[in-house]
Structures are given as structure tokens and as C-alpha cells.
Amino acid sequence: MIDSLDASTVQYLQAAALLLVGLYGIIARSHLLRKLMAMNILQVAVIVFFIALSTKFGATVPVVPAAATAGPIDPAAYVNPLPHALMLTAIVVSVSTTGVALALLIRIRRRFGTLNEPALLDRLRE
Amino acid sequence: MSEHLPILIVVVPLSAALVVPLLGRRSSTAAHAVTLATLAATLVAASVALTRVLRTADGVWQYELGGWAPPWGIEYVLDPLSGGMSVLVASLALAAAIYAGPYLRTSGPDRIGLFDSLYLLLVAGLLGIVATGDLFNLYVFLEISSIAAYALLATGGDRAAVATFRYLLVGTVAASCYLLGIGYLYALTGTLNMTDLSARLAAADQPTATAVGVGLIVIGLAIKAAVFPFHGWLPDAYTYAPPPVTGFVAAVMTKVSAYALYRVLYFVLGAEPAAASALVFLGWAGVAAIVAGSWLALAQSDVRRMLAYSSVGQMGYIIFGFSLGSPIAIVGALFHVLNHALMKGCLFLVTGGIRWRTGLSSVAGFAGVGRRLPLSATAFAVAAVSMVGLPPTAGFFSKWYLLLGAFEAEAWLGVAALVGSSWLSAIYFFRVLERLFLGADESRPAPERRDLPFGMLAPALVLALVVLLLGLFHQPVVTHLLERALPPTVS
């Protein structure tokens, strides 16, 4: 069993596990801040998945020295940089979403005095 | 200048969004004037681009961003479909921004700059989704528009903050699903360009991985488009948001996601068996949405909530039409995208205006309001009649095409849902109209007759007028625009 698990499979399993943890947290947790943290874990899962896509074993950073450009370039020797670039954008998105969410939570807490969902629903019904 | 129109549509509102908050610190009037001018310029740019696209024989305008050739660079694609959508988004954006002027001056003049900045970001994001030909770029614009929408929706008060937080969680799960789905397709093909991906996916020959990717993308976009049963975020978010925001967001935001769904399923994945299965699932979801949305709308006592549930049902119409896949059904669905944006925009603007003027938003509270705000109530009535689907309004013709498509496909359950929900919508809309025009207003002394200020009234009236005109002159729109927006596999 363990023999058949190479490092990239482990990365994919890690992404899947994080995804499930995130989804579970968003659904099952009753504190809104915990839901937000679970949402962040979900976003990290997607980032891990993309980074795992770009991994090649025995490859290095995709920077080709000027001296080496004379001959043909072996793509297997370099890691794919595109998923990393995409994930930089995804991280920015994640940070912005979290920022907006925290601002909302501050307002909810100030007005209703709680971030616990059952208690909050009680206040909303009043 | 004109060869850069596809990118200008997005860049103009995006750059104005950076200037407006700074200007707003000096003068809120100047900030709002700049916003209106920007949106008007965007509308002109989108219209010019659309006419240029319609004049060319093949009807596709590809624009290489920064001169980088696709598939390496990002490509913007304007065809009759995306061109038409961008004109629709830009015109509703302008209408709701004009409406926002008088509303913002009374509710918080010092925050006009910030409001307008977020609003411009929302518009730029939606236009970007429509114009881009790159799947990852679409994700970025999806999130730009969503984050701006979260902030705007939350300005409606404390309840709005709670509703928006829920929307934010659900919306982010949706965006993550979509992103993960792109990851699968990228892993299979090594490209993110829609045209290129479409060609390479067939060669990849990996049905299981393709199915997972397509499934994730469809779930992500279906949540954003509030397709039943993923509509849970919508009613609260629409009910508590400030009127100009609901008017715009309810009109176009879910439709732009439905557009993305249509674009991906027909233009990018048209040949994939997984896309066909996804369409079957969406068809059933659409029928369920039509039934559930209309039924739940009937049970609401708040007009805003009633309209929100009716939106769930109307998204069902659109998705059901797409899933049938015949030319006539898709034309019906596209026409309904256009009609529903105009009608629902008008209805939410008037409802918000009535609440702003009188403080009332319940069906019972609307009694006699038609006599106090006669012109607004007339606009509401025209849009409501069109929602029910009575000729000669535009709503009749899109429903007619959908019904023909359903007959052609022998989707009897769909036919029953379409007819049944029209009856239900007749009940819930005429209930409001009856109160509005015939209900007795018991308040003493009798309130004076005073309609909305011109800035709030005019957009609603224009939208109602367009609904009428579109119904009378639907034939040219169908032949010159909608039939040219069919995917190559269908037409």
C-alpha cells in the first residue's frame, strides 16, 4: 500500500482532505468565525491541488540561464510555473474575501452581540 | 482607439473605480457625475462593439490582451452572445446608477464615492466575465464582481450583513468548485483558453477526469446563478440590500453566471458527453426551480421576498431552456435572460422606491399606493404583466419560445411546469397589482399624491417601456441577435 503512494499522490490526498475539512467546517460549525476559517481551509485545498499539478520530480525552478538557451530546452527539467502564477491570483482573491468577511463579522458582532449562529438567529427573530 | 473596444469595456469602469472614491472626498456630486459619465461611455463602447460584431460575416471579434497571442496570452472574445450580454449589463448598470443618485443623496451623501467605486468594480467584473475568452480570467472577474457585490449588498443594514455573510460563504465555495474544475481541465489539456481547450479536450480522451472537472464547474456556476437547489443564499441577500443594488444585482448578476454556464457547456465543452449529462441534470434542476420558485413566491407577504423567489423560478426557465438544447429553446432562454433582466430590474427599482418613499414593502401595505405614486405603479404593472407572460409584453414571447422548445422536445413535465408557474405568477402578481391600484388606503389624513423624484422614476419607466417595445418588435431581436448567438453545434 505504502509503496504505491508516491509523493504527488500524497499531495492530492492532502488537497482532498483539506477540501473535506473545509466543507465540513462550513456546514457543521455554528460559530461564524469558525465557518470563515473553514472557508479559508477550503481555498487552501484548491491552492494545494494546483501546486501539486505543477510538480515534477527532479525538476528545478523555471529560470533558464542565458548560457543554456543555445541548445534545446528540456521541459522535464523545469517545474511548470503557470499554476504558481494562477495561485498567486487565487491567494489575492482569498485574502480579499476574508477581509470583506471579517468586516461583516465585526458589524454583526457589534449589532447583535454574538457570532454564534443559533443565538444570532434568535436575535434576528426578535 | 476603436480596435481596443473589447478591453476598454472592462478597463474604463475599472479605472474609474480607482478615481471615484478620491473624488468623493471632495465632492460627492462630482463623484456621482463621473460614475454616470463612465457608465454611459461603457454603454456606448459596448454598443459600438456589438454593432461592429454584427456587421462582420463570422461575427467573432478576437482581441489579444497586451499583444500576447492566444493560447499563451489572455484573449477577449466578442461575438453576438457576449456582445449582446455586455450591452445588457452596461445599460442596466447605467439605469440603476441614475436611480442610485437621489437614493444616495438622502441615505448618506458622504459615502457616495465609496458606493460608486464598489458599484463600478461590480460592473467591471460582470463585463469581464462576459468578454473574456479565458477560463481563469473568468474566475478572477467572477470574484471581483462577487466581492464588490458582497460589500454593496451589506450596506443595506444589520440584517443585510448577516444575509451577505452567508452569501459570501456559499459564493466562495462556488468559486472554489469552479477553480478546482478548471484545475482538472488544465491538467488534461495544459491550456486555459476556451477555444484551444475545446479542441484539445477531445484529444485528451480522459472521460472520468473530464466528468469531474465539468461537474465541479457546473456546480460552481450553478450556485452563483442560484439554480435550484443552490438558491438558498438569494432571498435574504436580495431582500435586505439597498434598492439600487438589488435592482442591478437581481437583474444581471445571476444571468451573467447563467451566461457563463451556457458558454462553458455549449461553446467550450459542446462535444463532451459529460456536458450532455450536466445539461440533463440542469434540466431537472430547472423544472424543479420553476415549480419551487413560483410556489414559494406565492407564500411571501413581503413584496421584495416575493420578487426574490420569483427570480429563483425565472432562473429555472432560463436553465431549462438551455438544457433542452434545440435552437428554439435556446433562443427562448436567451430572450428570457434579456427580458427577465429588464422586468426584474424594473420591479425591484419600483419596489425599492415605494419603500423609500412610504416605508412600506409588504403586499398588504401596498394598498392604495398606486394612487400616491401613479407612474411608478404603472411601470410596476407593465413589468408584472410581462413576468406573468401576457402579450404584447416581451415576457410572453420568451415564454412562448420556451414552450415551443419544450413541446418539440416532448418534455411534458417541463410544459406543465411552464404553464403551471405562469398561473401561479399571475396569482401572486395580480394580488400585488390589486392592492396597488384598487386597495383602500386607510391612513388618515390621506397621504399626498407624490411620485418618486425624476432620477428614480425615469430608469423604471424606461425599463418598462423597453419591455413593451421588445415585445412589439421581438422579431428583429430574435433573428439578428439571438439566433446568431447559438452555439456552432446547434445552429
Side-chain angles (χ1 to χ4, degrees):
Chain A
M1 171 68 195
I2 297 296
D3 295 339
S4 66
L5 278 180
D6 59 26
S8 83
T9 315
V10 172
Q11 274 183 309
Y12 288 122
L13 288 176
Q14 187 189 11
L18 285 171
L19 193 78
L20 293 175
V21 168
L23 266 182
Y24 172 81
I26 292 176
I27 296 165
R29 289 292 175 173
S30 62
H31 196 274
L32 296 187
L33 194 60
R34 285 181 191 270
K35 278 184 192 285
L36 179 63
M37 287 160 77
M39 185 195 90
N40 274 322
I41 294 173
L42 183 91
Q43 289 174 313
V44 168
V46 180
I47 293 170
V48 169
F49 175 80
F50 267 82
I51 299 306
L53 279 184
S54 72
T55 313
K56 285 175 195 162
F57 290 94
T60 180
V61 286
V63 178
V64 183
T69 52
I73 295 168
D74 176 21
Y78 300 100
V79 168
N80 181 0
L82 189 75
H84 292 261
L86 299 181
M87 284 310 104
L88 275 180
T89 315
I91 290 167
V92 173
V93 168
S94 162
V95 169
S96 328
T97 323
T98 312
V100 175
L102 286 172
L104 289 175
L105 286 184
I106 290 170
R107 238 190 56 212
I108 295 171
R109 177 79 218 279
R110 274 197 195 136
R111 172 62 181 78
F112 298 102
T114 179
L115 286 177
N116 204 353
E117 201 165 35
L120 188 62
L121 288 176
D122 282 344
R123 303 268 158 84
L124 280 172
R125 260 185 230 115
E126 279 162 16
Chain B
M1 198 65 179
S2 76
E3 72 269 27
H4 296 296
L5 276 178
I7 187 66
L8 281 176
I9 295 170
V10 181
V11 165
V12 167
L14 197 61
S15 24
L18 305 177
V19 182
V20 162
L22 299 174
L23 204 59
R25 293 172 71 108
R26 289 285 170 122
S27 151
S28 57
T29 321
H32 198 64
V34 169
T35 307
L36 292 180
T38 308
L39 290 171
T42 311
L43 177 58
V44 170
S47 314
V48 171
L50 177 64
T51 41
R52 194 166 136 173
V53 166
L54 288 178
R55 278 210 197 105
T56 57
D58 62 342
V60 181
W61 184 354
Q62 286 166 307
Y63 178 83
E64 297 168 4
L65 207 63
W68 293 89
W72 299 283
I74 293 170
E75 178 186 39
Y76 278 44
V77 181
L78 283 185
D79 52 16
L81 174 63
S82 55
M85 279 300 289
S86 61
V87 172
L88 179 67
V89 171
S91 41
L92 275 155
L94 182 62
I98 294 173
Y99 176 94
Y103 174 82
L104 289 173
R105 270 195 289 283
T106 53
S107 68
D110 49 328
R111 285 189 306 187
I112 287 183
L114 295 174
F115 179 95
D116 280 344
S117 172
L118 288 168
Y119 187 79
L120 286 165
L121 283 175
L122 172 60
V123 175
L126 293 175
L127 288 168
I129 295 175
V130 169
T132 190
D134 183 281
L135 285 174
F136 187 79
N137 201 227
L138 196 152
Y139 163 77
V140 174
F141 281 122
L142 199 63
E143 284 306 78
I144 290 177
S145 61
S146 295
I147 292 170
Y150 302 146
L152 281 171
L153 289 168
T155 55
D158 299 312
R159 279 170 183 273
V162 179
T164 308
F165 184 75
R166 286 207 192 119
Y167 176 27
L168 186 146
L169 285 181
V170 177
T172 307
V173 171
S176 303
C177 279
Y178 174 79
L179 186 57
L180 201 57
I182 300 179
Y184 272 83
L185 298 189
Y186 175 73
L188 290 171
T189 61
T191 182
L192 292 163
N193 180 288
M194 289 183 190
T195 326
D196 196 35
L197 193 133
S198 170
R200 284 173 187 238
L201 204 54
D205 194 31
Q206 289 276 1
T208 316
T210 312
V212 174
V214 173
L216 285 166
I217 290 178
V218 167
I219 290 175
L221 291 176
I223 297 175
K224 291 267 183 191
V227 176
F228 186 86
F230 306 121
H231 67 285
W233 57 267
L234 184 143
D236 275 344
Y238 283 11
T239 305
Y240 301 122
V245 178
T246 321
F248 180 62
V249 167
V252 294
M253 212 162 154
T254 46
K255 266 96 215 161
V256 166
S257 300
Y259 155 86
L261 208 49
Y262 172 61
R263 169 74 79 189
V264 169
L265 283 177
Y266 277 101
F267 289 76
V268 184
L269 306 166
E272 292 299 319
S277 320
L279 282 169
V280 172
F281 162 75
L282 286 174
W284 287 106
V287 172
I290 296 172
V291 175
S294 312
W295 188 254
L296 287 166
L298 201 58
Q300 304 306 320
S301 56
D302 186 306
V303 179
R304 297 172 296 169
R305 239 184 149 68
M306 183 194 94
L307 293 176
Y309 276 110
S310 132
S311 276
V312 174
Q314 303 292 321
M315 286 313 293
Y317 282 68
I318 293 165
I319 296 297
F320 174 65
F322 285 151
S323 79
L324 289 175
S326 62
I328 193 152
I330 294 181
V331 164
L334 291 172
F335 199 17
H336 207 65
V337 167
L338 174 63
N339 289 343
H340 185 245
L342 299 166
M343 306 183 289
K344 205 36 87 54
C346 177
L347 289 171
F348 266 118
L349 290 184
V350 173
T351 310
I354 290 176
R355 186 179 150 81
W356 174 77
R357 174 68 91 204
T358 66
L360 303 166
S361 65
S362 66
V363 177
F366 269 26
V369 169
R371 280 192 288 275
R372 290 167 64 188
L373 299 91
L375 286 173
S376 316
T378 310
F380 187 96
V382 171
V385 165
S386 178
M387 288 287 294
V388 176
L390 296 180
T393 53
F396 168 75
F397 294 100
S398 51
K399 278 194 186 179
W400 182 246
Y401 283 110
L402 285 170
L403 209 52
L404 287 180
F407 265 113
E408 202 182 74
E410 299 183 349
W412 304 121
L413 214 58
V415 172
L418 284 172
V419 174
S421 96
S422 295
W423 279 106
L424 290 179
S425 63
I427 297 172
Y428 64 73
F429 273 114
F430 283 119
R431 188 181 56 155
V432 178
L433 291 182
E434 188 258 341
R435 304 255 66 172
L436 206 52
F437 290 101
L438 305 172
D441 190 351
E442 264 109 42
S443 52
R444 295 278 180 272
E448 56 173 333
R449 175 179 160 168
R450 195 159 151 246
D451 219 316
L452 294 175
F454 180 74
M456 291 171 86
L457 187 59
L461 281 177
V462 168
L463 290 179
L465 189 67
V466 174
V467 167
L468 271 180
L469 290 177
L470 208 57
L472 294 172
F473 305 103
H474 68 284
Q475 202 57 47
V477 178
V478 168
T479 41
H480 294 297
L481 183 65
L482 301 178
E483 284 183 350
R484 295 189 66 186
L486 291 174
T489 46
V490 170
S491 59

